[in-house]
Amino acid sequence: MDLMKVKVLIAAVVITVVFLLIIFRMYFGRQRYPYRARPILTRREYNFYVLLQREASRRGLIVCPKVGVKDLLEVTSRRHYMKYFRQIAQKHIDFVICDRELRVLFAVELDDSSHDTEEAKKRDQFKDRAFKAARIPLRRIRDYDEASVWELFR
């Protein structure tokens, strides 16, 4: 083989490899999403959950963590359905206590310093009023121990 044929062969191989890489990236690149798994609860929420679960189990109740507000409240206004649905669609409640038939008994919000801003206070106030309207007791707790968790169930 002379030098020119070798150069053409190398160029053809390089072009083929580059083409295959482009096709490979196009095909598999679409399949990749920028996500990774994360825990459902923060460490503080998990520690609270352990106490909450222990107390609920004593009473034969179930603790559901991180429940969407849209899964708990139903919009009753047909005329303004989307207006009110949007207000609950992206919100969640930290914990919901249910009986064995998964009927909601009450909800619990574990508050911390992030609830001290004016914007957070407005969001909390909205949740409080929405749950009151739906007749679901919403209990808030900030600092907790076994006694305060026990009090939630009274």
Side-chain angles (χ1 to χ4, degrees), residues 2-154:
D2 66 355
L3 189 58
M4 185 57 136
K5 287 183 180 178
V6 171
K7 287 181 180 180
V8 169
L9 184 60
I10 291 172
V13 169
V14 168
I15 289 171
T16 303
V17 168
V18 167
F19 177 75
L20 289 173
L21 284 173
I22 289 170
I23 298 296
F24 183 81
R25 275 188 129 176
M26 286 174 58
Y27 178 74
F28 289 105
R30 278 190 242 145
Q31 303 290 324
R32 301 171 93 202
Y33 295 100
Y35 304 116
R36 68 172 172 238
R38 62 181 266 194
I40 292 174
L41 302 174
T42 65
R43 184 174 303 273
R44 180 172 184 264
E45 289 169 334
Y46 179 76
N47 291 336
F48 179 70
Y49 170 79
V50 169
L51 294 176
L52 199 60
Q53 180 60 43
R54 187 179 308 146
E55 197 58 42
S57 292
R58 288 180 186 150
R59 292 168 160 72
L61 303 176
I62 299 167
V63 178
C64 301
K66 301 283 183 163
V67 178
V69 173
K70 68 180 172 33
D71 299 317
L72 298 169
L73 307 184
E74 184 174 44
V75 178
T76 58
S77 170
R78 289 184 185 192
R79 185 174 189 181
H80 301 289
Y81 178 85
M82 286 310 295
K83 172 187 173 184
Y84 290 104
F85 181 76
R86 277 193 296 271
Q87 292 179 324
I88 63 172
Q90 299 299 315
K91 292 178 173 50
H92 75 273
I93 289 295
D94 292 328
F95 303 97
V96 176
I97 310 302
C98 302
D99 65 14
R100 291 202 182 264
E101 286 79 38
L102 291 179
R103 289 183 296 244
V104 176
L105 301 176
F106 64 93
V108 180
E109 281 285 86
L110 180 60
D111 293 345
D112 59 15
S113 60
S114 69
H115 290 255
D116 293 341
T117 67
E118 286 305 313
E119 191 60 36
K121 288 177 184 177
K122 286 179 187 174
R123 286 192 304 268
D124 288 347
Q125 200 171 53
F126 171 81
K127 272 188 194 176
D128 293 343
R129 290 177 178 159
F131 274 75
K132 185 174 183 178
R135 296 190 173 125
I136 297 175
L138 175 57
R139 300 180 180 150
R140 293 184 175 278
I141 188 167
R142 189 171 190 128
D143 299 314
Y144 63 88
D145 57 16
E146 287 188 35
S148 60
V149 170
W150 180 83
E151 281 292 319
L152 290 173
F153 288 86
R154 285 188 65 210

